């Protein structure tokens, strides 16, 4: 699989694997942690989540500037790993729930998220720049798209197990104190303590509380139960964040051991007759390449605004509208987050085989065309969610809040199929978008342009909160329809610019 690729690709992939394990351990539970810890509604938690996701990617632009200015890419990556570990440590330290001072602890939590985001900004784009540099050698240049697909696949191996680790630690901590997991209980506990539950929701709370005790002992004091369940539930989440620290340590060790195998993007090299020569470009060519990159950055904003709903509104949907029972086995809402990386790892060889077959026939689509195809596939995924939600006649979010739970629950297969389709779309867009940037970016702007790709992702991520607002304000099927439209806008815009982008990329 790696035979035709540079040796440094394996090391870079495994260095990122550890970081992604830690990151997705946190992302699998972040929005649910914010709601359980602080009693936030979907809009409030969504604002923090989208701002954090924005910060991760916009700070990658800053990370690229720092690396380009200092010419110390490896040192910048090293500092990023250390900062992320510090941020996870801040989240991992338990504090009592319900919190005594909500504002103070929210500030501490947001500060920890900023540290993680800044560390990620130093790490992510610059490691991608290292990988791109490996394929500037003419010996490997034809394998650039495949190389980034492999890189993307291997880093998702870590993301596969992250949700299971987070859920395992949280549920283990619950069981240690004699409780079962229930997705609806944290919100009901907060509602009980605040005195905001409707009579219907009070009945639901009493019934679920009785089922949540492993011993089957009747709950006599609902206030005591609310305090204890929330404290145990969120402490389990705190310890789950601690798993991310171990993952960062693994990533750090792999990076340090293999750092000599990585090229230095500050010295963009083209192999020619065994001698290294610096690639020179005219000012006009540099401008054309930059214009093309910024055009693609602008288009993919709409895709990321839709795709990254997997950690927000799709997670809300899993918690509130989905029957958490798969073939007779109880599951947790967080586990749906493992579907995307599972599909990435399993489908990457398939997609690569498709590209290889097309390449052999001389019919492989250009990278910009692949990106446009991916956006159309993503629209199909959200269309399935819209149809499934409409046919199931799901109630408005305000109605399930009044009742304490949704009277209608859809099969988990709906989300599973959607994640499958969205992953295929991702494989056509994300690794190939990174590949496109590494190929088109002028040599002296490699780091900052990788940061630019992530910066465009950041803007799309900041818009995620719109999804949370729509989710709580309009029929759920209409929310998914908005994302169908967003993905279609991206696809048609890419197709309109296709010939120009293909010309610039040659």
């Amino acid at each position: 699989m790696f035979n035709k690729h540079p040796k440094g690709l394996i090391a870079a992939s495994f260095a990122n694997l550890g970081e992604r394990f830690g990151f997705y351990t946190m992302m699998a539970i972040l929005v649910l942690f914010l709601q359980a810890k602080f009693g936030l509604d979907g809009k409030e938690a969504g604002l923090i989540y989208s701002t954090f996701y924005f910060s991760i990617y916009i700070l990658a632009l800053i990370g690229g500037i720092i690396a380009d200015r200092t010419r110390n890419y490896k040192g910048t990556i090293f500092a990023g790993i250390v900062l992320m570990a510090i941020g996870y440590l801040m989240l991992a330290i338990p504090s009592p729930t319900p919190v005594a001072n909500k504002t103070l602890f929210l500030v501490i939590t947001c500060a920890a998220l900023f540290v993680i985001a800044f560390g990620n900004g130093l790490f992510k784009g610059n490691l991608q720049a290292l990988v791109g540099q490996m394929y500037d050698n003419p010996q490997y240049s034809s394998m650039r798209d495949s190389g980034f697909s492999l890189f993307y696949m291997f880093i998702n191996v870590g993301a596969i197990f992250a949700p299971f680790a987070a859920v395992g630690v949280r549920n283990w901590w619950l069981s240690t104190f004699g409780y079962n997991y229930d997705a609806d209980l944290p919100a009901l506990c907060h509602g009980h303590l605040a005195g905001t539950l409707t009579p219907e929701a009070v009945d639901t709370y009493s019934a679920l509380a009785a089922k949540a005790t492993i011993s089957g002992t009747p709950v006599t004091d609902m206030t005591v139960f609310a305090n204890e369940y929330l404290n145990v539930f969120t402490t389990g989440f705190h310890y789950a964040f601690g798993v991310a620290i171990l993952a960062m340590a693994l990533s750090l060790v792999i990076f340090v051991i293999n750092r000599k195998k990585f090229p230095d993007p500050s010295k963009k090299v083209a192999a020619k007759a065994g001698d290294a020569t610096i690639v020179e470009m005219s000012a006009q060519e540099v401008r054309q390449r930059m214009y093309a990159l910024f055009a693609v950055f602008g288009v993919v904003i709409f895709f990321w605004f839709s795709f990254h709903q997997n950690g927000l509104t799709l997670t809300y949907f899993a918690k509130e509208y989905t029957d958490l029972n798969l073939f007779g086995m109880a599951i947790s809402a967080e586990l749906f987050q493992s579907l995307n990386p599972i599909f990435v790892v399993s489908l990457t060889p398939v997609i690569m085989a498709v590209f290889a077959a097309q390449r052999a026939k001389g019919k492989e689509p250009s990278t910009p065309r692949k990106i446009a195809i991916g956006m159309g596939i993503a629209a199909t995924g959200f269309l399935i969610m819209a149809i499934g939600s409409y046919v199931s006649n799901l109630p408005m979010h305000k109605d399930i809040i009044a009742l304490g739970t949704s009277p209608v629950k859809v099969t988990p297969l709906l989300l599973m199929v959607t994640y499958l389709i969205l992953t295929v779309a991702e494989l056509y867009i994300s690794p190939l978008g990174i590949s496109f940037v590494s190929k088109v970016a002028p040599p002296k702007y490699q780091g900052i342009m990788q940061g630019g790709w992530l910066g465009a992702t950041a803007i799309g991520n900041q818009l995620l909160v719109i999804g949370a607002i729509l989710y709580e304000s309009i029929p759920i099927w209409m929310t998914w329809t908005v994302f169908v439209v967003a993905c279609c806008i991206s696809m048609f815009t890419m197709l309109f610019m296709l010939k120009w982008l293909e010309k610039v990329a040659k």
Side-chain angles (χ1 to χ4, degrees), residues 127-155:
L127 187 63
Q128 291 171 181
L130 289 179
V131 175
Q133 179 73 10
M134 297 175 193
Y135 290 89
D136 290 334
N137 186 331
Q139 178 183 352
Y140 305 113
S141 60
S142 65
M143 301 298 294
R144 183 182 295 268
D145 280 2
S146 296
F148 272 97
S149 291
L150 282 172
F151 177 70
Y152 203 74
M153 180 186 75
F154 267 79
I155 65 176

Side-chain angles (χ1 to χ4, degrees), residues 15 29 91-92 138 145 197 249 285 287 294 297 347 351 353 459 490:
I29 60 177
L91 287 178
D145 280 2
L197 295 182
E285 183 179 358
R287 282 197 301 271
F294 285 125
F297 294 164
L347 291 177
I351 300 298
I459 297 173
S490 296

Side-chain angles (χ1 to χ4, degrees), residues 164-188:
F164 291 97
V167 169
V169 171
R170 193 272 317 283
N171 288 355
W172 162 73
W173 194 250
L174 277 171
S175 64
T176 300
F177 286 83
Y179 293 122
N180 292 312
Y181 164 79
D182 189 288
D184 291 321
L185 265 178
L188 290 168

Side-chain angles (χ1 to χ4, degrees), residues 341-401:
I342 287 174
F343 290 143
V344 167
V345 173
S346 59
L347 291 177
T348 294
V350 177
I351 300 298
M352 290 178 63
V354 171
F355 292 161
Q358 293 173 328
R359 189 183 313 125
K361 296 178 180 179
K363 296 181 178 180
E364 182 181 12
S366 65
T367 301
R369 187 179 293 275
K370 290 175 184 175
I371 294 173
I373 292 171
M375 291 169 178
I377 295 172
T380 304
F382 283 107
L383 180 62
I384 289 176
M385 282 297 295
I387 293 173
S389 300
Y390 181 81
V391 171
S392 300
N393 196 26
L394 295 179
M396 292 277 289
H397 184 265
K398 63 180 181 180
D399 296 327
I400 70 170
I401 294 299

Side-chain angles (χ1 to χ4, degrees), residues 328-340:
M329 179 180 64
I331 57 176
S332 299
E334 298 92 340
L335 292 182
F336 286 96
Q337 293 294 303
S338 68
L339 291 175
N340 174 247

Side-chain angles (χ1 to χ4, degrees), residues 93-110:
I93 300 173
S95 58
T97 308
V99 294
N101 188 326
K102 181 177 177 179
T103 301
L104 173 63
F105 284 97
L106 262 176
V107 169
I108 293 173
T109 299
C110 291

